[in-house]
Amino acid sequence: MRDLAHMGLWFATLPRPIEPRAALERDERVDVAIVGAGYSGLWTAYYLTALEPGIRVAIVEAEFAGFGASGRNGGWCVGSMAGLDALGADPARREGALRLQRALFDAVDEVGRVCTREGIDCHFAKGGWISVASVAAQRDRLRAEIAEWHAQGLGESDARWLEPEECAARVRTPRNQGALFFAHCAALHPARLVRGLAEAVERRGVAIFERTPALAIEPRCVVTRAARLRADRVVRATEGWSGSLRGEARRLVPMHSMMVATEPLSEGTWKEIGLERRETFSDARRIVVYGQRTADGRLAFGSRGRYLFGSAVPERFPETSRDYARVERILASFFPALRGCAIAHRWSGPVAVPRSWRPSVGVDRASGLAWAGGYVGEGVAASNLAGRTLAELILGRESERTSLPLVGPPFPRWEPEPLRWLGVQAVLRVGQWLDASELAGRRASRLGSAVFRRFVRA
Ligand SMILES: Cc1cc2nc3c(=O)[nH]c(=O)nc-3n(C[C@H](O)[C@H](O)[C@H](O)COP(=O)(O)OP(=O)(O)OC[C@H]3O[C@@H](n4cnc5c(N)ncnc54)[C@H](O)[C@@H]3O)c2cc1C
């Protein structure tokens, strides 16, 4: 079994050690084959077996269920999705965007419902999300965002403005100019969710083959080193590692997100910080940061923002990496009470960014290929909706989900290197420069803001 020490808090706090399942060693035939045992693959399997008991589903996983982003994320189960704001801003697509938004809200509750039904104890707590305005520019942006959402059909019970004193009643951070409160978000333990989900699909008869990297996906066939898995439909659910499949190097860009977690904090420290309802928190900077109060009383906190040439996905970044130092600096600036507090875990993982900056699910009936993913960094709830929708598409069942704008064509390919690296670096730099200007109290460049928005379509 590989060493999991560097994989962070969630793997260190699983109730049971990870026992690897058997690998695929001889050719097999099933109705649906899935590559990747993260949330996307597992939710797809879950709903396939719910809709059609007796269907033969097999999953091949390069490492073990939950090895990917699903076992390492920030644990925000949030009713939101990359690219949604851009969809909503287009009058021709506004109605679809609102339906998608509501479906994502429902996905948050659906994750909670399934966990209760299947006995998955993932510490699900729906306390909402607080995005604090650290400076006036962030305040103006957040207020404009709330106004835009309300104009598009959301209500005060979905998202509302908290004045500084209301914000301080929930979370106490020195730079508080008020906050956005978004009701549709739960904090959870991501690895408990993905491991519990894998056990739930196995109970429904799904076969999971671990330590079985797929080399290629061919029409109606998954090719592995030892065997071929044939199926009417083959689902690609490989997210940040999609480049490991033959011919898929430019499908999704892996952007690395870095996380840290403290030891359990004292009651006194929590009194200074707040977050009594386990609200997830961030501020409104462009290079996203995200945090949660864990069920065992720690702060887990992270930030996106590293791309490696050639879409490389390293096993780990050194603990001394400047990216971790940056994350720890930002966390300390949120909560001075943490200064001097030991960081117990540091880990990272790739989020997958499509060129269109929008997730997609779909099925190509001619080749039998299906796909789900491209969530950027918002896949915990979105993958539930994606898997549920994909199961319906595969079985040819129409529902209120199968006409959502989440259903779309395969991801357009990214540019070849070095253009890809140059483009992604440029956008990251612009984002960091805009954030730094705003946090220093200067006005961010309008042109820079427009360029950033255009590229990330957020
Ligand atoms: C550090 C971090 C923090 C995040 N925080 C949040 C958050 O707070 N909220 C949120 O909504 N989202 C967050 N995300 C994103 C979220 O975790 C992902 O969008 C989601 O887990 C994607 O699930 P998935 O199943 O599509 O992909 P993954 O969980 O990455 O699963 C893909 C699986 O495919 C396997 N695989 C890949 N290639 C092959 C192959 N060739 N053969 C066989 N198997 C293969 C991998 O081993 C992996 O297990 C975060 C991500 C990271 C990395």
Side-chain angles (χ1 to χ4, degrees), residues 36 38-40 61-62 69-70 73-74 76 214 239 241 244 290 349 377-380:
Y39 300 142
S40 296
E61 163 57 50
S70 301
N73 60 67
W76 288 37
E239 203 62 346
W241 285 265
S244 64
Y290 49 91
E378 290 174 292
V380 178

Side-chain angles (χ1 to χ4, degrees), residues 10 34-43 59-78 80 185-186 190 194 209 211-217 222-224 236-246 255-259 280 290-292 302-304 347-352 372-383:
W10 311 121
I34 297 172
V35 183
Y39 300 142
S40 296
L42 293 166
W43 283 122
I59 304 180
V60 294
E61 163 57 50
E63 299 286 348
F64 54 83
F67 168 82
S70 301
R72 323 177 182 194
N73 60 67
W76 288 37
C77 183
V78 59
S80 161
C185 188
V194 70
F209 298 105
R211 293 172 296 166
T212 306
L215 305 178
I217 296 179
V222 180
V223 182
T224 74
R236 188 186 60 228
T238 46
E239 203 62 346
W241 285 265
S242 296
S244 64
L245 292 164
R246 194 184 303 146
M255 183 90 74
H256 300 279
S257 206
M258 327 292 282
M259 288 203 71
T280 58
Y290 49 91
Q292 72 147 293
S303 173
R304 287 186 215 151
W347 72 100
S348 69
V351 307
Y375 309 106
V376 187
E378 290 174 292
V380 178
S383 59

